[in-house]
Amino acid sequence: MSDFDGLTAIVTGGASGIGAATARALRDRGAAVAIIDRAHGGESGHLELTCDISDRLAVGAAVAEVASALGGIDVVVNNAGIGATGDIAGNDDAVWAHVLDVNVVGVARVASAALPHLRRSSAASIVNVSSIVAAVGVPQRALYSASKGAVAGVTLAMAADHVREGIRVNAVLPGTADTPWVGRLLDEADDPEEAAAALRARQPIARLVTAEEVAHAILYLASPLSGSTTGTLLTVDGGMGSIRVPSSPAGAR
């Protein structure tokens, strides 16, 4: 497909995981891609900008550099974020403030910096990366769930604010995905194999979601071919949020 021919895209957190898969897929379908991340390998083939999305001035400068170097901005994928574990008492105020600052206010910083450029595009689209934990309660994810619930909520508000400007805003809600962050969580577990099996088991497809599957959903929402899709929260969660299956084949009918 070449539905992104002539378009320019920014992917935050694009150096690894879902962001890297999304950047590759956008390039394969014709987009000029810039990735914004705190660190880069230097071999992505994209325009690479080092930026911490918790710094508003740095975000503004990075977005302006993308627009200047690539001739505008048509698509913004707000993928950058950080994780957190623990129940409601598991993190102090400083950690709560930091996670919300990166995961929620970071989306606002990037989107607001890109808005003047998006308003000049005939195919303007923002896709935010939330999580299925915005809609489904999962143990030991209180802070992370709060941040991703806020991303889902702000996505709908942004869609309403900018629909008449021709800017579509949507979000994906991935389930547990095979990403570096999940890998680090498993490495820190007392029994990594048991923890991995538990993560697989809680998703009806009985495996982790792949980064490429999430990227495919992001591109569906971002594509000009989806011009009537806005204000959508698209789950890519292996059925975790919507279906229940027997825990063993013996319970099947």
Side-chain angles (χ1 to χ4, degrees), residues 176 182 186 192-209 237-238 240:
T176 305
V182 170
L186 294 176
E193 287 299 323
E194 181 181 358
L199 290 182
R200 293 191 296 268
R202 77 183 185 186
Q203 299 187 139
I205 58 172
R207 63 170 174 83
L208 299 186
V209 176
D237 65 348
M240 181 178 170

Side-chain angles (χ1 to χ4, degrees), residues 38 53 79-86 90-91 94-104 129-131 133 140-148 179-185 188:
R38 291 185 300 175
I53 62 168
N79 167 73
I82 56 176
T85 59
N91 293 283
V95 177
W96 273 83
H98 179 56
V99 172
L100 293 172
D101 184 43
V102 174
N103 290 4
V104 185
V129 178
S130 178
S131 169
V133 300
Q140 298 296 306
R141 294 291 185 274
L143 170 51
Y144 186 69
S145 297
S147 72
K148 292 302 185 176
T179 63
W181 181 62
V182 170
R184 288 191 292 272
L185 285 180
E188 294 167 1

